[in-house]
Amino acid sequence: MPYTADNIEITIASGTAILATDYGTSGTGFSLAHAQIAKVSWGDDSTTYRASETYPFPVKIYGITGTTIPISGTVSGTGDFYVRTNPTIPLIVKGSTFTSDAPVGISGSIQGISGGQAVAVSGSVSVSNNLGVYGISGATAIAVTGGRHLDSSTDSVYVYGDVGISGGFQLVAADDSVSVYGPGGSTYIEANLNVAGSALGVSGDALKVAVTNAGFTFSVSLSSTVGVTNDAVDNALRVQGLSGGTPVTIQGSLAGGAVEIGAYTAVPVGVCGSVTIDDTDIIDEIDSLKTNIGTVATNAGYALDILNLINASGNGAKVVVSSITKPNRLYHDQKTLTTTPISLGTQTLRTGVTLKSLASNTVDIYIGNSAAVSLSTGYVLSPGETLFLELSTISGIFARTSSGTATITAIGT
């Protein structure tokens, strides 16, 4: 029974070997047979190369002498392709409209080979799109007729030396324009103005003018309101009258024309001449003060009695308190404290305030007089403890916790 599987197993003395084959492939002169799969190598009598991408199998095409080798289909490949011909036989490149050595139409750019032979062109040559023409230094100028006119938006014409126009050519104001530029391509022309041989001076972009003749007058139109201002507060505007002349009168917008004066520092003020006070309250207060001073001055015993009270035995003058006005409003508050010191409020006090740490607190509270109170400087208020402080305001009391949060209550008048 024939072996019909691919690959043939061969038994040899030391074991078995597998010979790669394909069974049952179709071909000329054989069927139902094994076709051996083989690798191709090539070389000469001294070196052999296995055919691969590195060492491809070389192929040369030879034809019969005097005949051409027919090639059909698409010919493609990689690398450089060289087309050579016999020096005595021209190489013809056929275009799409080839008729007996007709020229080949070319589109796109044509680039020559450095050092190669120039290509002769005969017949008519047309150029489309923009064409730049460059002359050769020292050569004869090229005469150009027709074409387009110069356009000021795209063309620049530079003229050096003497310029003259002759013949029938004339500039027409409606169609032609001429721009003149100064040195360096600037859009202005430098010029020196002279009067009797002396150059006129300038200051910035203004022409300096000196008036030397006497007896002239000016006509100046001013607004009905003319103001003078200074540029900043630090640069004060100074007003000075004529020495020995008429003084400068300054009138303000306050009552009676008074001038309001403000300054960053105290302004020394001196008063001379007679000063009249017409305020009734001030006059009444001065009259009362004069009466009381006169009584003390004419009764020296009053002053002696006051001195005896102050020098009495003990610490200072004796004081008898007959009654105290009690506050009629109660102040109370609660605040949650953290480790960041805060002020307990802004309430004004008359008799003081009592502070208490809630019994439910689990950490100590520290009391101080500023936001800098710390665990090492504050007064410790443990949970459930109270503290009374006699102050005029609660804003000077700051509190914080040792850790976590705690609630402090306050009550006072």
Side-chain angles (χ1 to χ4, degrees), residues 336-350:
T336 300
L337 304 177
T338 64
T339 56
T340 301
I342 62 171
S343 173
L344 296 186
T346 59
Q347 179 65 36
T348 301
L349 305 171
R350 294 187 64 182

Side-chain angles (χ1 to χ4, degrees), residues 170-177:
Q170 294 181 351
L171 295 177
V172 180
D175 300 328
D176 305 315
S177 61

Side-chain angles (χ1 to χ4, degrees), residues 149-309:
H149 297 285
L150 294 177
D151 190 336
S152 60
S153 63
T154 58
D155 302 317
S156 299
V157 177
Y158 296 91
V159 179
Y160 301 92
D162 298 332
V163 178
I165 299 177
S166 61
F169 180 77
Q170 294 181 351
L171 295 177
V172 180
D175 300 328
D176 305 315
S177 61
V178 178
S179 298
V180 181
Y181 293 87
S186 58
T187 56
Y188 59 89
I189 300 176
E190 296 182 358
N192 294 325
L193 300 180
N194 290 270
V195 176
S198 299
L200 298 181
V202 295
S203 176
D205 59 352
L207 182 66
K208 292 182 178 180
V209 178
V211 180
T212 58
N213 296 331
F216 58 87
T217 58
F218 288 99
S219 177
V220 181
S221 298
L222 297 177
S223 174
S224 58
T225 302
V226 178
V228 180
T229 59
N230 58 311
D231 59 350
V233 175
D234 295 335
N235 298 326
L237 182 64
R238 179 176 178 179
V239 179
Q240 183 176 358
L242 180 62
S243 176
T246 304
V248 177
T249 302
I250 301 176
Q251 183 175 357
S253 59
L254 302 178
V259 178
E260 182 178 4
I261 299 176
Y264 293 106
T265 58
V267 179
V269 178
V271 180
C272 61
S274 301
V275 178
T276 302
I277 300 176
D278 56 2
D279 186 272
T280 304
D281 294 336
I282 296 178
I283 294 175
D284 293 342
E285 190 67 26
I286 293 175
D287 290 340
S288 174
L289 181 61
K290 286 170 57 180
T291 301
N292 295 332
I293 293 176
T295 302
V296 175
T298 55
N299 296 275
Y302 290 162
L304 183 59
D305 292 339
I306 295 173
L307 180 61
N308 290 334
L309 289 174

Side-chain angles (χ1 to χ4, degrees), residues 41-394:
S41 60
W42 61 276
D44 52 21
D45 57 355
S46 61
T47 304
T48 300
Y49 300 96
R50 178 176 292 179
S52 64
E53 290 185 1
T54 304
Y55 300 101
F57 197 80
V59 176
K60 289 187 177 181
I61 302 176
Y62 292 91
I64 301 174
T65 304
T67 63
T68 60
I69 302 175
I71 299 177
S72 62
T74 302
V75 178
S76 62
T78 59
D80 298 331
F81 284 83
Y82 298 94
V83 179
R84 295 185 176 91
T85 183
N86 191 303
T88 60
I89 302 175
L91 176 64
I92 299 175
V93 179
K94 184 168 65 174
S96 59
T97 58
F98 175 76
T99 56
S100 181
D101 296 342
V104 179
I106 299 176
S107 62
S109 59
I110 302 174
Q111 184 174 355
I113 301 175
S114 176
Q117 184 175 356
V119 178
V121 179
S122 61
S124 300
V125 178
S126 62
V127 179
S128 60
N129 298 327
N130 296 328
L131 174 64
V133 179
Y134 300 90
I136 302 175
S137 176
T140 304
I142 300 174
V144 179
T145 60
R148 67 176 182 85
H149 297 285
L150 294 177
D151 190 336
S152 60
S153 63
T154 58
D155 302 317
S156 299
V157 177
Y158 296 91
V159 179
Y160 301 92
D162 298 332
V163 178
I165 299 177
S166 61
F169 180 77
Q170 294 181 351
L171 295 177
V172 180
D175 300 328
D176 305 315
S177 61
V178 178
S179 298
V180 181
Y181 293 87
S186 58
T187 56
Y188 59 89
I189 300 176
E190 296 182 358
N192 294 325
L193 300 180
N194 290 270
V195 176
S198 299
L200 298 181
V202 295
S203 176
D205 59 352
L207 182 66
K208 292 182 178 180
V209 178
V211 180
T212 58
N213 296 331
F216 58 87
T217 58
F218 288 99
S219 177
V220 181
S221 298
L222 297 177
S223 174
S224 58
T225 302
V226 178
V228 180
T229 59
N230 58 311
D231 59 350
V233 175
D234 295 335
N235 298 326
L237 182 64
R238 179 176 178 179
V239 179
Q240 183 176 358
L242 180 62
S243 176
T246 304
V248 177
T249 302
I250 301 176
Q251 183 175 357
S253 59
L254 302 178
V259 178
E260 182 178 4
I261 299 176
Y264 293 106
T265 58
V267 179
V269 178
V271 180
C272 61
S274 301
V275 178
T276 302
I277 300 176
D278 56 2
D279 186 272
T280 304
D281 294 336
I282 296 178
I283 294 175
D284 293 342
E285 190 67 26
I286 293 175
D287 290 340
S288 174
L289 181 61
K290 286 170 57 180
T291 301
N292 295 332
I293 293 176
T295 302
V296 175
T298 55
N299 296 275
Y302 290 162
L304 183 59
D305 292 339
I306 295 173
L307 180 61
N308 290 334
L309 289 174
I310 295 175
N311 293 331
S313 60
N315 296 325
K318 297 179 180 180
V319 178
V320 177
V321 179
S322 59
S323 64
I324 298 176
T325 302
K326 301 294 184 180
N328 58 5
R329 185 176 179 181
L330 180 67
Y331 163 73
H332 60 89
D333 192 14
Q334 289 189 9
K335 289 189 179 298
T336 300
L337 304 177
T338 64
T339 56
T340 301
I342 62 171
S343 173
L344 296 186
T346 59
Q347 179 65 36
T348 301
L349 305 171
R350 294 187 64 182
T351 60
V353 64
T354 299
L355 306 177
K356 181 177 181 179
S357 174
L358 292 185
S360 59
N361 291 337
T362 59
V363 295
D364 293 335
I365 295 175
Y366 290 81
I367 308 296
N369 62 355
S370 70
V373 59
S374 65
L375 304 184
S376 60
T377 61
Y379 177 84
V380 182
L381 195 63
S382 298
E385 288 186 341
T386 60
L387 172 66
F388 174 77
L389 296 173
E390 189 174 1
L391 296 171
S392 61
T393 176
I394 199 172

